[in-house]
Amino acid sequence: MILLDGKKTSADIKEEIALEVRDLKNKGADTPHLAAIIVGDDGASITYVNAKVKACELVGFESTLIRLPKDTTEEDLLNEIAILNIDKDIDGFIVQLPLPKHIDEQKILMAIDPDKDVDGFHPTNVGKMALNLPTFISATPFGILELLERYKVETSGKHVVVLGRSHIVGSPMSILLSQKRKVGNATVTMCHSRTKNLKEITLQADIIIAAIGIPEFLKADMVKDHVTVIDVGITRLEDASKKSGFRLVGDVAFDEVAKKSDFITPVPGGVGPMTIAMLLKNTLLACQRKS
Ligand code: GUN
């Protein structure tokens, strides 16, 4: 069993990006600049956004964090986006999700200039991704492709089973892996809450991508020997024995499934750390595209 180490791989990618930033600076070119908007005071969201800003500093990017109160109106948020859209200093920006209930998420995502949409959530960029045209691939699917590539996990001709049909993971993952691309050319089955005979399907999988948000859902009796497992789930479970008061659990019963796996991602330390590295990669791309 080989652990797909997202912590180490993301550190490698950040080092590569830092070298590219140094080159840009030496050439007198612009330094990549990422902005993030966060609305409200959700603890997990603040942690994620702070980690994104910290990662910018680490690789030598500039960053701007815009914190707005939880009662910010949709109109005010749209105004902030309009300002970032025309700000020449900003290469890319994100609006951290989820947003408070009174704000229409889709409307907000559609207001972002697709050329600055480093999350890859704008319909224009989702459409380009689906057509296999150059675009920003959103961070989680992009990170999974990168992990599979760097660990040389063969996907061509393999049967990939994707669990979950979310817009940010399951759906793009199933599209990308079926495409004619370096990490792709797979036969993909997408499963979701209405799927019947799920176990029958997962038992046929060479590669399983679990992205449903149900802790330890995938058990050893649902996978065949030599499977590759990518666990996207990350649920906080209360745990009084931890200083933080919680522990992080994936969608996979790791200990038992790992025994049957050739490759598997841990939680935490698998897909999670990759997402920030890929956001940085998209920001670098946005900056390079501009020049
Ligand atoms: N919330 C959880 N994941 C993400 C992400 O990748 N981007 C944004 N903007 N919000 C998120």
Side-chain angles (χ1 to χ4, degrees), residues 255-271:
D255 291 343
E256 54 182 88
V257 173
K259 290 193 184 105
K260 296 177 84 174
S261 305
D262 278 355
F263 298 92
I264 186 166
T265 58
V267 174
V271 175

Side-chain angles (χ1 to χ4, degrees), residues 122-136:
H122 191 286
T124 295
N125 289 327
V126 177
K128 285 184 177 177
M129 180 276 297
L131 294 169
N132 203 358
L133 297 171
T135 186
F136 300 116

Side-chain angles (χ1 to χ4, degrees), residues 4-274:
L4 297 170
D5 186 343
K7 203 168 160 191
K8 177 182 181 303
T9 308
S10 68
D12 291 347
I13 294 169
K14 283 187 239 174
E15 222 168 273
E16 291 160 18
I17 294 173
L19 286 177
E20 290 201 48
V21 174
R22 221 171 49 196
D23 271 357
L24 287 175
K25 286 183 180 169
N26 286 341
K27 281 193 287 192
D30 277 354
T31 303
H33 189 163
L34 174 72
I37 303 179
I38 179 163
V39 184
D41 40 27
D42 175 66
S45 290
I46 291 171
T47 306
Y48 285 138
V49 170
N50 285 340
K52 289 171 185 177
V53 170
K54 205 169 134 205
C56 283
E57 279 167 26
L58 187 80
V59 298
F61 284 8
E62 293 191 41
S63 63
T64 298
L65 177 59
I66 300 169
R67 283 197 67 174
L68 301 174
K70 60 175 182 295
D71 57 359
T72 299
T73 64
E74 193 174 274
E75 194 188 350
D76 284 345
L77 181 54
L78 288 169
N79 280 335
E80 291 288 343
I81 290 170
I83 292 167
L84 293 177
N85 278 343
I86 58 169
D87 186 338
K88 292 203 164 24
D89 279 345
I90 304 286
D91 296 295
F93 67 97
I94 63 159
V95 178
Q96 187 66 23
L97 304 177
L99 288 167
K101 296 244 178 317
H102 65 278
I103 298 177
D104 180 345
E105 208 160 274
Q106 202 54 42
K107 199 165 165 188
I108 296 303
L109 295 180
M110 285 179 69
I112 298 172
D113 176 350
D115 288 335
K116 293 191 175 188
D117 168 40
V118 285
D119 256 335
F121 290 165
H122 191 286
T124 295
N125 289 327
V126 177
K128 285 184 177 177
M129 180 276 297
L131 294 169
N132 203 358
L133 297 171
T135 186
F136 300 116
I137 298 174
S138 49
T140 306
F142 197 9
I144 293 170
L145 293 182
E146 194 74 21
L147 259 187
L148 292 170
E149 181 175 352
R150 290 187 184 232
Y151 279 88
K152 298 186 170 53
V153 177
E154 182 62 81
T155 56
S156 181
K158 302 294 181 187
H159 186 191
V160 175
V161 172
V162 177
L163 304 181
R165 55 182 160 184
S166 72
H167 289 169
I168 54 173
V169 189
S171 171
M173 213 59 251
S174 55
I175 294 169
L176 289 161
L177 284 170
S178 64
Q179 286 174 341
K180 199 178 276 185
R181 55 166 64 239
K182 195 148 77 178
V183 181
N185 295 304
T187 304
V188 178
T189 304
M190 192 212 261
C191 301
H192 45 75
S193 52
R194 304 290 174 93
T195 299
K196 292 179 178 151
N197 59 351
L198 182 73
K199 186 172 163 185
E200 221 171 87
I201 299 169
T202 55
L203 277 169
Q204 293 172 37
D206 300 306
I207 300 171
I208 299 178
I209 316 251
I212 48 176
I214 303 176
E216 301 183 332
F217 176 84
L218 191 77
K219 303 276 197 283
D221 66 350
M222 297 168 74
V223 306
K224 68 178 182 185
D225 283 328
H226 304 294
V227 68
T228 289
V229 180
I230 307 288
D231 189 351
V232 189
I234 185 153
T235 305
R236 285 179 173 199
L237 289 188
E238 271 184 41
D239 186 339
S241 72
K242 301 275 179 197
K243 211 166 76 183
S244 60
F246 65 85
R247 67 191 161 96
L248 297 173
V249 182
D251 289 349
V252 178
F254 182 88
D255 291 343
E256 54 182 88
V257 173
K259 290 193 184 105
K260 296 177 84 174
S261 305
D262 278 355
F263 298 92
I264 186 166
T265 58
V267 174
V271 175
M274 292 297 291

